[in-house]
């Protein structure tokens, strides 16, 4: 027997004389299991933190079904009015569409929306236009107050971009309203909508119209959201 074999034998003999009591074996096993679980939880938490860091840094997440999708700020789902949406109105370019109030009407052109508001133009032929460049994609809004009492105002929603708009909604003070969608024939690349709603101004208010918190949404015929925006001053 060489020196190495003698050392191994002595170690085995010494280990055989050490007995682990029943009361200590159980807690040792429990502690080992806790440590293992702790490592798994720590690894899971690290993975979550890493994923959140990627989302916060890039603004996109990878979906196995849908590929890369943009991630916006957390927000509540759009409110939908309980009543049915009004029918979409199709007009010819330059046609005057009455807006439900005396001397209020709208005209649509290639890339222009023109509103004739009675306080500004009375019964004259003029109108104020909103236009955009062909390549832009956006949902936005024009607001027209109705003095002198300012009991109501005209909210004019505008969407230009891909897809065909079938419905539009606007949220005012936590309540959703349908807008009547108006479009040119075919696929002009944009649509507009109008709705009369509570005024954003009072006769004694000298400030600009406050539009904070107003939310605009445009949907296609299948109910998919084409665009949405929450306005801020």
């Amino acid at each position: 027997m060489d020196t190495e074999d003698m050392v191994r034998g002595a170690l085995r003999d010494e280990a055989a004389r050490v007995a682990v009591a029943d009361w200590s074996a159980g807690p040792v096993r429990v502690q080992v299991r806790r440590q293992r679980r702790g490592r798994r939880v720590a690894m899971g938490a690290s993975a979550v933190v890493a994923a959140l860091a990627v989302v916060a840094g890039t603004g996109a997440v990878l979906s196995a079904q849908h590929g890369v999708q943009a991630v916006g700020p957390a927000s509540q789902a759009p409110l939908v009015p309980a009543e049915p949406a009004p029918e979409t109105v199709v007009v010819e370019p330059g046609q005057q569409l009455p807006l439900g109030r005396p001397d209020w009407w709208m005209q649509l052109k290639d890339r222009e929306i023109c509103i004739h508001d009675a306080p500004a133009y009375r019964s004259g032929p003029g109108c104020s236009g909103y236009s955009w460049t062909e390549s832009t994609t956006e949902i936005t809004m024009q607001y027209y107050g109705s003095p002198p009492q300012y009991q109501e105002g005209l909210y004019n929603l505008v969407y230009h971009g891909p897809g065909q708009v079938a419905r539009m909604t606007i949220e005012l003070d936590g309540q959703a309203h349908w807008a009547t969608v108006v479009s040119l024939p075919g696929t002009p690349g944009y649509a507009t909508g109008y709705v009369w709603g509570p005024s954003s101004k009072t006769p004694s208010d000298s400030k600009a119209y406050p539009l904070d918190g107003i939310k605009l949404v445009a949907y296609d015929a299948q109910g998919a959201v084409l665009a949405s925006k929450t306005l801020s001053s």
Side-chain angles (χ1 to χ4, degrees):
M1 178 180 297
D2 58 19
T3 303
E4 183 177 351
D5 290 337
M6 293 175 63
V7 172
R8 289 179 176 175
L11 291 172
R12 283 196 298 271
D13 293 340
E14 186 65 25
R17 287 194 290 270
V18 178
V20 179
D22 292 339
W23 61 266
S24 61
V28 169
R29 287 193 294 268
V30 170
Q31 181 64 22
V32 170
R33 286 196 295 268
R34 286 176 178 172
Q35 290 177 347
R36 289 176 178 172
R37 285 198 300 269
R39 284 195 295 269
R40 288 195 294 268
V41 171
M43 291 175 63
S46 299
V48 171
V49 171
L52 291 175
V54 170
V55 171
T58 63
V61 294
L62 185 62
S63 166
Q65 294 180 342
H66 305 293
V68 176
Q69 297 178 334
V71 177
S75 61
Q76 296 180 346
L79 299 178
V80 178
E83 67 275 8
E87 293 291 331
T88 299
V89 178
V90 178
V91 297
E92 296 297 325
Q95 176 184 344
Q96 291 186 7
L97 174 68
L99 297 178
R101 301 292 185 274
D103 290 326
W104 285 81
W105 48 263
M106 171 192 294
Q107 280 183 337
L108 303 188
K109 300 179 182 179
D110 184 25
R111 285 191 297 275
E112 182 184 10
I113 298 166
C114 206
I115 303 288
H116 175 97
D117 64 289
Y121 298 99
R122 302 189 183 276
S123 59
C127 61
S128 57
Y130 170 80
S131 60
W132 58 93
T133 59
E134 185 174 6
S135 59
T136 58
T137 298
E138 186 183 25
I139 184 168
T140 187
M141 187 196 79
Q142 300 184 90
Y143 175 78
Y144 296 85
S146 183
Q149 281 76 32
Y150 292 100
Q151 293 179 345
E152 63 178 359
L154 178 70
Y155 296 83
N156 175 222
L157 287 65
V158 184
Y159 168 77
H160 38 93
Q164 194 82 358
V165 176
R167 295 185 298 276
M168 285 181 165
T169 60
I170 180 171
E171 291 181 24
L172 302 169
D173 297 326
Q175 185 174 358
H177 306 266
W178 291 116
T180 300
V181 176
V182 185
S183 180
L184 294 173
T187 54
Y190 82 93
T192 185
Y194 70 92
V195 59
W196 291 93
S199 176
S200 291
K201 188 167 180 157
T202 63
S204 60
D205 189 359
S206 60
K207 299 179 182 178
Y209 294 100
L211 301 178
D212 285 345
I214 295 178
K215 187 169 186 178
L216 317 172
V217 187
Y219 300 88
D220 65 12
Q222 286 71 44
V225 174
L226 294 174
S228 66
K229 176 191 286 187
T230 301
L231 302 180
S232 61
S233 297

